[in-house]
Amino acid sequence: MKKKSQALAPKHRSAKFWPVMGFAALAGMRSMSAPAFLSHYLSRQPHTGLAGSSLRFLQKPVTAQILKALAAGEMVVDKLPTTPNRTAPPVLLGRLLAGSLVGAAWYKSRHGSALSGGVLGGLAAVAATFVSFALRTGISQQTDTPIALVGVGEDALVVGSGAALLRGVRPAHGEWRPL
C-alpha cells in the first residue's frame, strides 16, 4: 500500500509544474508580465514557502504595483520601431531571467526547490520567446498586418491568459485566502 505522501506526489508536482509553464509562456511573450501577475497573486495570498527566502519580496504589495507599471510600460515600448526583436541576446536574456524568477518563486512558494523551478521557468520562457516571435511575425506576414497591430493582439492574449492563469491557481495546502 502506498503512503499518503507518495499517492499525492504527482498531484503536488503538477501543482508546481503547470503554473510555472503558464507563467513562463507569459514571460516569453512579455518579460515583465509574468513577474507582475505572480507578484499580484502572492501579494494577495502570501505563502509560507517564501518565508525567509530572498524571493519573498514578490509578496509585497509595492513590488506588485511596480511590476505592473513596468509590464504596462513594456507593452508600450514593444510597439516602437526601435525596439529590438525579443530573440536578440540581451532581450532574450531578460525573458530567461523573468522565467527563472517566476519559476523559482512559484516552486519555493510551494515548498519545492527554487533551483528546479528556476531552471524549468527559464527554459520554458526561452522556448515561448521563439514560438511567440514566430507566431507574431508569421501572422504579420501572412495577413499583411502591421507587426505593432499584431503586438496589440498579443498584449490582449497576455493579459487574458495571465488573468485566467491566476483564476485557475490553487493556493498551497492550508494557505487559502480569497482574492
Side-chain angles (χ1 to χ4, degrees):
M1 178 175 214
K2 286 185 178 181
K3 291 182 181 180
K4 184 178 179 182
S5 63
Q6 288 174 328
L8 294 176
K11 186 176 182 180
H12 289 297
R13 275 193 297 271
S14 67
K16 288 185 275 194
F17 178 83
W18 291 114
V20 167
M21 296 303 285
F23 285 119
L26 294 177
M29 291 188 279
R30 297 285 181 275
S31 60
M32 295 309 301
S33 63
F37 275 108
L38 180 60
S39 186
H40 172 82
Y41 171 78
L42 291 173
S43 71
R44 294 167 184 260
Q45 296 193 44
H47 285 66
T48 60
L50 292 175
S53 165
S54 59
L55 297 169
R56 70 184 177 280
F57 76 96
L58 289 169
Q59 297 186 133
K60 296 184 181 296
V62 69
T63 301
Q65 293 302 320
I66 291 168
L67 289 171
K68 288 175 196 176
L70 290 172
E74 180 184 23
M75 288 183 180
V76 171
V77 170
D78 174 70
K79 311 306 173 294
L80 300 176
T82 57
T83 302
N85 286 336
R86 67 187 74 190
T87 57
V91 181
L92 184 60
L93 177 62
R95 292 168 194 273
L96 168 75
L97 294 173
S100 295
L101 174 65
V102 295
W106 186 260
Y107 264 53
K108 186 74 176 164
S109 76
R110 298 299 202 233
H111 304 281
S113 165
L115 178 61
S116 296
V119 169
L120 175 64
L123 292 175
V126 168
T129 298
F130 284 98
V131 169
S132 63
F133 179 75
L135 287 171
R136 182 171 172 174
T137 56
I139 290 169
S140 176
Q141 291 169 356
Q142 293 294 318
T143 63
D144 203 27
T145 304
I147 195 97
L149 187 56
V150 178
V152 171
E154 188 178 17
D155 292 341
L157 178 63
V158 167
V159 171
S161 298
L165 178 62
L166 294 187
R167 279 194 307 275
V169 166
R170 300 276 184 239
H173 178 68
E175 299 188 50
W176 186 81
R177 287 181 13 204
L179 286 176

